[in-house]
């Protein structure tokens, strides 16, 4: 039995701890612990809610349910630190190295550590799409990477109607977005996993995810079933003429 309050000193006034300090602690943990992800959370958090969101899953994993912790409120900050990842060899850093801008929107800025990028926290689908279009329009050369998180949240909640509404918003946005793309612009759409809201449980599901790439300069072709999601970043780096990921 573990006293989580003692380990994390939950009783301390959390609002006085800067997110930079939380990140520094997270990086120390990342260097010393071999788990898939270390997640640093910042913002105004109720300590009791944080403690009550600690879960032990049936597969033995123990951790904080991030949405359940209440951290995704106004002013939230999150950074995922993956095992064995070197940010300097990821797409955002390589795009910046050739003098182009990078904007990371929504959960994209939570999971990618890119110094010098515009990091724009957002959960609401309307805001994510609005920021994506706004930053795209303002760039002469750049990468806008955005994650629509609410489909994932709706899948976890098994909320079919919410899932459908968010898909309709995305569909409407894509129609508008295609109309403002120039010859040299490209749009890539994919997902990292399924989350079927009708499956009968609240975990991710294992259907294959689509990948769609569009540009006025692209010739239509079926790319077939890919072996790795890393194809996406590698292809975009090549499109920019940047170093390979």
């Amino acid at each position: 039995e573990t006293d989580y309050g003692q380990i994390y000193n939950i009783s301390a006034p959390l609002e006085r701890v800067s997110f930079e300090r939380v990140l520094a602690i997270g990086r120390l943990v990342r260097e010393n612990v071999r788990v898939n992800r270390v997640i640093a959370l910042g913002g105004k958090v109720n300590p009791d809610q944080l403690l009550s969101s600690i879960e032990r899953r049936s597969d033995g994993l123990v951790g904080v349910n991030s949405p359940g912790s209440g951290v995704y409120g106004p002013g939230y900050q999150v950074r995922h630190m993956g095992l064995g990842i070197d940010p300097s060899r990821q797409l955002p850093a390589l795009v910046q190295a050739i003098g182009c801008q990078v904007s990371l929107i929504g959960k994209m800025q939570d999971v990618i550590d890119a110094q010098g990028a515009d990091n724009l926290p957002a959960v609401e689908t309307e805001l994510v799409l609005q920021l994506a279009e706004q930053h795209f329009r303002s760039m002469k050369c750049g990468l806008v990477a955005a994650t629509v998180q609410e489909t994932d949240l709706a899948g976890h909640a098994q909320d079919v109607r919410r899932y459908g509404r968010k898909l309709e918003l995305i569909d409407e946005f894509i129609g508008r977005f295609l109309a403002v793309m120039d010859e040299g612009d490209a749009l890539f759409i994919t997902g990292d996993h399924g989350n079927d809201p009708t499956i009968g449980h609240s975990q991710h599901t294992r259907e294959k995810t689509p990948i769609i790439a569009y540009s006025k300069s692209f010739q239509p072709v079926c790319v077939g079933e890919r072996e790795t999601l890393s194809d996406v970043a590698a292809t975009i780096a090549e499109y920019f003429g940047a170093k390979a990921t």
Side-chain angles (χ1 to χ4, degrees):
E1 296 299 319
T2 305
D3 182 348
Y4 292 100
Q6 183 176 348
I7 287 178
Y8 296 110
N9 193 18
I10 296 300
S11 61
L14 295 182
E15 66 274 9
R16 297 181 189 172
V17 180
S18 70
F19 187 57
E20 287 71 25
R21 176 65 174 158
V22 174
L23 277 177
I25 295 169
R27 290 187 178 111
L28 283 174
V29 175
R30 175 70 286 168
E31 290 169 8
N32 291 280
V33 178
R34 295 191 64 80
V35 293
N36 288 343
R37 284 184 294 178
V38 172
I39 306 176
L41 303 173
K44 292 186 177 180
V45 182
N46 180 308
D48 293 331
Q49 187 174 356
L50 185 61
L51 285 171
S52 66
S53 68
I54 294 171
E55 298 178 348
R56 182 182 296 275
R57 294 198 334 200
S58 58
D59 58 8
L61 292 177
V62 179
V64 172
N65 180 322
S66 297
S69 72
V71 71
Y72 289 114
Y76 87 95
Q77 293 173 289
V78 181
R79 190 65 46 79
H80 292 228
M81 303 173 192
L83 179 64
I85 291 174
D86 178 1
S88 70
R89 299 182 65 184
Q90 290 187 292
L91 178 64
L94 300 175
V95 170
Q96 289 184 97
I98 62 170
C100 295
Q101 296 174 263
V102 172
S103 295
L104 304 175
I105 301 169
K107 195 168 183 178
M108 196 68 77
Q109 70 93 41
D110 301 356
V111 300
I112 295 178
D113 190 1
Q115 300 296 320
D118 291 324
N119 290 295
L120 302 154
V123 175
E124 299 84 357
T125 301
E126 296 91 332
L127 179 57
V128 169
L129 299 177
Q130 176 187 342
L131 289 170
E133 186 169 3
Q134 175 185 323
H135 280 250
F136 168 78
R137 286 176 177 271
S138 69
M139 286 181 176
K140 292 184 178 179
C141 170
L143 169 70
V144 178
T147 301
V148 173
Q149 187 178 1
E150 284 194 294
T151 45
D152 185 50
L153 296 176
H156 285 306
Q158 297 287 276
D159 188 335
V160 178
R161 290 186 181 277
R162 182 185 181 193
Y163 205 109
R165 288 196 303 271
K166 301 310 171 183
L167 289 177
E168 288 175 348
L169 275 174
I170 298 163
D171 192 47
E172 180 185 333
F173 164 79
I174 291 171
R176 293 199 319 270
F177 193 75
L178 294 179
V180 300
M181 291 175 63
D182 290 331
E183 195 72 24
D185 300 327
L187 173 66
F188 290 77
I189 303 171
T190 191
D192 55 346
H193 56 71
N195 205 336
D196 184 350
T198 70
I199 201 72
H201 62 72
S202 63
Q203 301 302 313
H204 293 159
T205 48
R206 297 181 63 82
E207 61 266 45
K208 295 170 184 175
T209 58
I211 175 166
I212 301 170
Y214 171 79
S215 171
K216 291 181 178 179
S217 62
F218 289 175
Q219 295 299 314
V221 64
C222 176
V223 297
E225 185 172 329
R226 314 311 303 162
E227 293 184 0
T228 168
L229 278 168
S230 65
D231 278 3
V232 179
T235 300
I236 297 172
E238 184 178 325
Y239 189 72
F240 272 101
K243 286 185 178 179
T245 52

